Amino acid sequence: MQTYLVGGAVRDKLLDRPVVDHDHVVVGALPEELLALGYKPVGKDFPVFLHPQSGEEYALARTERKSGHGYHGFVFQADATVTLEQDLARRDLTINAIAQDEHGALTDPYHGVRDIEARVLRHVSPAFVEDPVRVLRVARFAARFAPLGFTVAPETMALMQQMVRDGEVDHLVPERVWAETRKALGEPQPSAFLRVLREAGALRVLFPEIDALYGVPQRAEFHPEIDTGVHMEMVLDAAAKLAPGDDLVGFCALMHDLGKALTPADELPRHVDHEHRGVAPLRALCARLKVPAEHAALAELVCHEHLNAHRALELRPATVLKLLSGLDALRRPARLDAFLLACEADKRGRLGHESDDYPQATYLHEARATAAAVNAADFVARGLTGPAIGKAMEAARIDAIGALKSNRRRS
């Protein structure tokens, strides 16, 4: 029995990146042997075990062959006869098909080290086409490694395009599409996720609402980048910088301008009412991909209210309170944080505006604190009861926001 460190742990060591997960493959062993050593079984489809001390994953070397459509259409073989090279052959990319033994020696039959040095995302074998999830995974790895200069190998992109033409991505289950998308939104350059999917032809299949934004013009005085799809990419990357690793902010940024794809042609490049038009496609996408409730709810608020956030300094105090109340920001300040980060990303996701200040965020945070400081107990002490307390609190909060606004103007 021999064990090897494999996959992302080896790749990230070679890239001098922090290693988060340590996955291992076991060659020349049977499940009974690992059980006898105290390993705990966790795999359902194939033998995966947790180390009795470290808790790290150890999987028996295995091969797989296609037996149907989609992610689950595989038959696995895992026994003591499967070699390390056979196990590595089933992996998606060469940079993920490197193994390291206990002495640090590398096994690299598919030249993953060379591709790491060349900054290339390349498939291991023609069997790549058998798993449609790999289209999403390559796009996600592009979002992670684009800042390091990684690009997709032309021959790998050609395979991905063929998978789309053959209808393989049509068999992806919503949960897996969302899982990969959510991870991509937390990567350093999520725009690469969209670009890779679009070049492969998968964006129009999996995210038609987003694909429809490309080629839609915007007013150059507000959007020097013109193309709404390009703006979307810039907003995503701005969100990744403002809120690193935060897929909630990233999803809100991704969804905020869907309505621009529905602007009538005779109104272009203006997009009047796009914040309302975007709600229907946003809801359709969230329902189709089974997006978590909080992601869907906050994304809809960003879609509907981002223009009010941009105009916050000009809004009447009553409108500011209405905005804060609609966000439930008085009770849930973290929600306001995520909302404003997505709105700031929208402001910065424009050519030449990447470093713009966003004083609206400071003002709305101050307005929330001011409104939240109004206490019901003060009105109860005055003898008010029932609905009268709520009305009095609303009026007091509007007055407090008004005073804040006046003080800001004077200063």
Side-chain angles (χ1 to χ4, degrees):
M1 184 174 75
Q2 292 179 290
T3 63
Y4 298 85
L5 187 67
V6 293
V10 180
R11 177 199 67 221
D12 290 343
K13 278 186 176 183
L14 293 171
L15 285 168
D16 198 26
R17 288 168 53 91
V19 176
V20 179
D21 297 315
H22 292 79
D23 294 327
H24 305 261
V25 65
V26 183
V27 178
L30 296 171
E32 294 77 13
E33 294 178 75
L34 291 181
L35 291 172
L37 292 171
Y39 286 76
K40 299 177 181 178
V42 293
K44 295 181 180 179
D45 298 323
F46 40 82
V48 178
F49 302 83
L50 297 181
H51 191 280
Q53 278 79 47
S54 69
E56 294 174 352
E57 283 196 1
Y58 285 70
L60 291 186
R62 67 183 188 269
T63 60
E64 58 188 37
R65 62 180 176 82
K66 189 73 168 174
S67 61
H69 288 293
Y71 174 64
H72 296 291
F74 291 91
V75 173
F76 299 96
Q77 175 195 354
D79 58 45
T81 68
V82 178
T83 67
L84 177 61
E85 288 74 12
Q86 286 176 315
D87 181 88
L88 295 176
R90 67 175 178 78
R91 297 174 186 269
D92 50 6
L93 298 174
T94 60
I95 65 170
N96 297 328
I98 309 168
Q100 179 181 307
D101 68 17
E102 59 184 356
H103 304 295
L106 298 179
T107 299
D108 181 24
Y110 306 104
H111 310 295
V113 174
R114 180 191 63 191
D115 284 340
I116 285 176
E117 293 171 349
R119 299 301 196 247
V120 174
L121 301 174
R122 191 191 316 275
H123 64 284
V124 169
S125 76
F128 178 94
V129 301
E130 296 177 350
D131 185 356
V133 172
R134 288 173 171 172
V135 173
L136 288 163
R137 280 176 56 83
V138 171
R140 174 164 63 83
F141 281 123
R144 179 180 301 176
F145 294 128
L148 300 180
F150 276 81
T151 58
V152 179
E155 60 270 30
T156 301
M157 178 56 69
L159 282 185
M160 293 164 64
Q161 292 167 342
Q162 184 62 51
M163 293 166 73
V164 174
R165 288 194 295 270
D166 290 345
E168 274 293 322
V169 297
D170 298 336
H171 297 282
L172 286 169
V173 297
E175 292 84 356
R176 197 59 195 268
V177 175
W178 169 247
E180 294 294 328
T181 301
R182 187 173 192 170
K183 292 175 184 176
L185 291 171
E187 299 291 3
Q189 195 172 321
S191 63
F193 179 74
L194 296 185
R195 286 194 298 274
V196 168
L197 289 181
R198 187 164 180 253
E199 185 177 352
L203 193 66
R204 60 178 169 77
V205 177
L206 301 173
F207 303 98
E209 300 88 350
I210 298 169
D211 188 66
L213 294 173
Y214 287 89
V216 176
Q218 302 167 108
R219 293 172 64 182
E221 64 267 37
F222 300 119
H223 289 278
E225 70 283 353
I226 306 295
D227 190 297
T228 305
V230 174
H231 168 59
M232 179 63 58
E233 292 180 2
M234 297 179 71
V235 173
L236 274 182
D237 289 347
K241 290 178 181 177
L242 289 166
D246 193 326
D247 60 82
L248 174 59
V249 173
F251 184 68
C252 291
L254 180 65
M255 295 288 101
H256 84 282
D257 261 355
L258 292 186
K260 288 183 177 178
L262 301 177
T263 300
D266 60 354
E267 294 181 14
L268 296 173
R270 299 173 71 246
H271 291 279
V272 177
D273 210 36
H274 76 275
E275 69 274 22
H276 298 103
R277 289 189 177 117
V279 172
L282 189 156
R283 288 178 176 174
L285 185 150
C286 289
R288 185 175 69 250
L289 297 185
K290 302 180 181 179
V291 172
E294 179 59 13
H295 281 64
L298 189 57
E300 184 169 325
L301 286 167
V302 172
C303 176
H304 195 267
E305 300 290 353
H306 67 277
L307 294 185
N308 276 332
H310 296 337
R311 294 190 291 253
L313 300 174
E314 290 76 48
L315 295 179
R316 293 182 296 112
T319 307
V320 171
L321 180 61
K322 183 179 178 181
L323 173 62
L324 294 172
S325 299
L327 290 165
D328 199 15
L330 301 188
R331 293 191 312 116
R332 301 167 64 186
R335 224 178 187 220
L336 179 63
D337 295 341
F339 172 83
L340 290 174
L341 285 168
C343 293
E344 184 173 354
D346 177 38
K347 181 66 163 59
R348 293 190 179 190
R350 305 162 196 238
L351 196 63
H353 294 269
E354 293 85 354
S355 300
D356 281 5
D357 291 331
Y358 197 64
Q360 296 92 328
T362 301
Y363 171 57
L364 287 172
H365 280 303
E366 291 175 352
R368 192 216 75 83
T370 298
V374 175
N375 196 317
D378 295 336
F379 299 99
V380 173
R382 296 179 194 176
L384 297 180
T385 60
I389 296 175
K391 290 181 180 179
M393 288 182 67
E394 180 180 3
R397 283 170 171 166
I398 292 171
D399 288 344
I401 294 172
L404 169 67
K405 188 172 184 178
S406 297
N407 290 336
R408 286 175 61 89
R409 283 175 177 170
R410 285 196 293 270
S411 63

